[in-house]
Amino acid sequence: MITIKKPLILLIECDKIISKYLNQIFITQNFEIVIVTDVYAAIRKIIECSPDVIICNTVLNGYTGFQIYNLLENSILTTGIPFVLIMKEFNEVDIEMGLELGIDNFIFQPFYENRIIKKVNTILSKIDKHKALEVERFEKLFTHSPVAIAEICNNRIKRVNRAFRDLAGIKEFNANQYHLEDYFEMENNMLLKNSLQRCLKGLDSVCSVKGIQVKNSDVYVDLYMVQINKGVNSCALIQFVESEEINRIVSNGKNDWSISTYLQARKRMAITENEHIDLLTDREIQITTLSAKGYQIKEIADKLGISSRTVEKHRSNVMRKTGTSNIIEAINKVVDF
């Protein structure tokens, strides 16, 4: 017999009457619901249960809903869980601010059961469609990308694409039988080993190491790894991009300028495919970081001693350079740097 998993709602609410009412609504409509009364319990439940939707009151134990979102932001962005805010009344300014922060939707009082369930089901439907589309896109990217990509699980290479085979000179590949050191010079590269282990163990979500030599060749590559699963079956995706400048130095025999010197000189290079992110100025990175923390344009201007128009101009430049259409998308590309 196939058991269908019920959608799980995480409700952050300290009002017992509201909790009881919403609990009854969701249980009746075949949802599971977990109720917590503070932010720290919410963080634990996000990790333990991986809820499908988070619903939070606009006021909780002295915190506003926006402050709670900021406290949960890292967990929410990492897991991609939609965040819905309960509001006592429609307020256009608060809604605009919430959408800019990244809040996905709003529920208004008084509650109407049909509207609440319809809104949550619409959110879940969009998530399902988005996940299916992302999986399809990823599989196409993995297979046809000109960039060498490998999937690592429990320190073994689970699968590779054609570009990886060409780079490593592989004729036949057997899943889960090889390690990275079978194809790359890693014996004396403690930076690479430590970075990989930190990422696989969940200490870092991403890592990058530059100037790794492909075995039995004069080719050097830059490695960029993203954690996709941690725990007992830890997994990560790794892409390898040829270090063009390093390879040129090696091929020209410029021994007077070592690879290590080159790497130090390029330590600020961006660690993602979007190399233009490295073109952001310190001020642009500063403003994007403050935006990620929930500060509004005027608050950022006051904090930095500049005009609101200047802040808007910097944010516009960030969106242009990162190829995004709004500040939330830009934050998702920049905040790790």
Side-chain angles (χ1 to χ4, degrees), residues 110-154:
F111 298 124
Y112 294 95
E113 180 176 343
N114 290 339
R115 292 181 184 177
I116 293 173
I117 297 302
K118 184 177 180 180
K119 187 165 291 189
V120 171
N121 280 331
T122 299
I123 292 172
L124 293 174
S125 176
K126 287 182 178 179
I127 292 173
D128 289 340
K129 289 178 182 177
H130 178 72
K131 286 181 178 177
L133 183 60
E134 287 300 312
V135 169
E136 182 181 352
R137 285 175 176 171
F138 170 75
E139 290 301 326
K140 288 181 179 179
L141 171 65
F142 189 95
T143 303
H144 302 292
S145 174
V147 176
I149 305 175
E151 182 177 348
I152 309 294
C153 288
N154 297 323

Side-chain angles (χ1 to χ4, degrees), residues 44-316:
R44 289 195 300 272
K45 290 300 179 183
I46 290 173
I47 296 172
E48 293 172 6
C49 307
S50 186
D52 296 291
V53 179
I54 298 172
I55 299 177
C56 177
N57 204 335
T58 191
V59 178
L60 185 79
N61 299 327
Y63 291 101
T64 68
F66 301 132
Q67 290 171 324
I68 294 170
Y69 177 84
N70 285 332
L71 291 170
L72 296 176
E73 184 178 27
N74 286 336
S75 300
I76 292 171
L77 291 178
T78 301
T79 55
I81 302 172
F83 187 93
V84 179
L85 191 63
I86 298 173
M87 301 185 69
K88 289 186 177 180
E89 57 186 17
F90 183 91
N91 184 304
E92 187 173 347
V93 174
D94 284 347
I95 291 173
E96 184 177 351
M97 182 168 63
L99 292 173
E100 185 175 348
L101 277 176
I103 292 172
D104 296 273
N105 217 315
F106 302 86
I107 293 174
F108 302 98
Q109 298 186 40
F111 298 124
Y112 294 95
E113 180 176 343
N114 290 339
R115 292 181 184 177
I116 293 173
I117 297 302
K118 184 177 180 180
K119 187 165 291 189
V120 171
N121 280 331
T122 299
I123 292 172
L124 293 174
S125 176
K126 287 182 178 179
I127 292 173
D128 289 340
K129 289 178 182 177
H130 178 72
K131 286 181 178 177
L133 183 60
E134 287 300 312
V135 169
E136 182 181 352
R137 285 175 176 171
F138 170 75
E139 290 301 326
K140 288 181 179 179
L141 171 65
F142 189 95
T143 303
H144 302 292
S145 174
V147 176
I149 305 175
E151 182 177 348
I152 309 294
C153 288
N154 297 323
N155 287 317
R156 294 182 181 272
I157 303 177
K158 182 178 179 180
R159 61 173 175 160
V160 300
N161 66 352
R162 182 181 296 276
F164 183 97
R165 295 185 184 190
D166 293 340
L167 175 68
I170 301 173
K171 294 183 179 180
E172 293 185 6
F173 175 79
N174 296 316
N176 301 316
Q177 290 190 14
Y178 298 96
H179 301 81
L180 284 183
E181 51 262 42
D182 292 319
Y183 303 112
F184 302 94
E185 296 292 349
M186 296 178 57
E187 185 176 351
N188 298 317
N189 197 331
M190 292 307 298
L191 173 61
L192 175 57
K193 290 181 178 180
N194 290 338
S195 296
L196 293 178
Q197 288 306 310
R198 286 183 62 84
C199 198
L200 285 171
K201 291 178 180 179
L203 298 175
D204 296 323
S205 58
V206 299
C207 82
S208 66
V209 182
K210 297 185 178 297
I212 305 165
Q213 186 174 10
V214 180
K215 277 194 171 182
N216 303 316
S217 79
D218 293 328
V219 176
Y220 288 80
V221 295
D222 298 335
L223 172 152
Y224 172 59
M225 180 163 75
V226 180
Q227 178 197 86
I228 56 175
N229 183 42
K230 59 184 177 181
V232 178
N233 296 312
S234 55
C235 294
L237 283 176
I238 304 182
Q239 72 173 26
F240 304 86
V241 182
E242 287 199 31
S243 304
E244 294 181 3
E245 291 90 343
I246 294 180
N247 290 327
R248 186 172 64 249
I249 292 167
V250 173
S251 63
N252 291 338
K254 295 182 179 179
N255 297 325
D256 58 326
W257 197 36
S258 68
I259 292 174
S260 61
T261 303
Y262 167 81
L263 292 177
Q264 289 179 6
R266 293 298 299 261
K267 65 182 179 180
R268 284 178 57 83
M269 183 184 288
I271 62 171
T272 70
E273 291 177 273
N274 304 301
E275 293 186 0
H276 51 269
I277 289 178
D278 194 46
L279 299 177
L280 297 183
T281 65
D282 290 340
R283 178 66 88 185
E284 288 166 351
I285 292 175
Q286 186 181 31
I287 287 173
T288 306
T289 302
L290 290 173
S291 298
K293 292 180 179 179
Y295 288 93
Q296 301 304 299
I297 290 176
K298 188 177 185 307
E299 293 174 323
I300 295 174
D302 292 342
K303 192 175 184 67
L304 300 180
I306 57 179
S307 69
S308 295
R309 176 169 288 186
T310 300
V311 175
E312 290 177 348
K313 183 178 179 180
H314 281 305
R315 297 210 322 180
S316 177

